[in-house]
Amino acid sequence: MARSPESRAWAAGGMVFAACAAIVMGVWQVSMGIAAILNDGFLAVSEHYTFDLDTTAWGWIHLILGVVVVLVGFLLFSGSGFARVMGMVFACLVAIENFFFLPYYPLWSVVVIALAIFLTWSLATADVRDI
């Protein structure tokens, strides 16, 4: 089935958006990670939280995931299938990690989870044959 120029433009735009969103999400993760590593009092949570990790541990988790997501975001500009799969995998990991991070910064976590879900959807639905 032949695709119209408009549909090809939307597909290409969707992949560019997904790549840019991955980079932005990764930079957010890196900035949160650096802040948590440098300032032990940056994160505070109830003492009864089941997944209560040290602030430095949360910082390293954010930092490592953020760096990987930024790298995957740059790889997405190539349009490779491997980059798309890695983008979906790491977007899911970021969403899961931010779910456990909800008690620390609820609004931040919800925004990052929403962006990760949208990123996963974008990467799963774009047709690379049209790009």
Side-chain angles (χ1 to χ4, degrees):
M1 173 182 200
R3 301 273 181 161
S4 69
E6 292 85 13
S7 68
R8 286 193 296 273
W10 275 101
M15 285 299 290
V16 169
F17 174 79
C20 292
I23 292 168
V24 167
M25 185 171 56
V27 169
W28 286 350
Q29 292 290 105
V30 167
S31 64
M32 178 64 84
I34 290 171
I37 291 168
L38 295 178
N39 183 1
D40 245 2
F42 184 68
L43 303 173
V45 72
S46 166
E47 62 187 48
H48 302 293
Y49 182 50
T50 304
F51 304 104
D52 185 23
L53 291 177
D54 180 50
T55 301
T56 306
W58 276 119
W60 282 108
I61 292 169
H62 277 291
L63 183 66
I64 291 167
L65 271 176
V67 167
V68 172
V69 171
V70 167
L71 293 175
V72 168
F74 283 114
L75 286 174
L76 285 171
F77 283 116
S78 71
S80 76
F82 174 75
R84 288 179 63 179
V85 170
M86 295 310 295
M88 288 186 280
V89 166
F90 282 103
C92 290
L93 286 176
V94 166
I96 292 166
E97 184 252 345
N98 274 279
F99 173 76
F100 291 115
F101 195 67
L102 274 167
Y104 293 94
Y105 278 94
L107 183 60
W108 173 278
S109 294
V110 168
V111 169
V112 173
I113 289 168
L115 183 59
I117 290 169
F118 187 74
L119 178 67
T120 304
W121 174 82
S122 296
L123 292 173
T125 58
D127 189 2
V128 292
R129 294 174 294 173
D130 291 335
I131 297 175

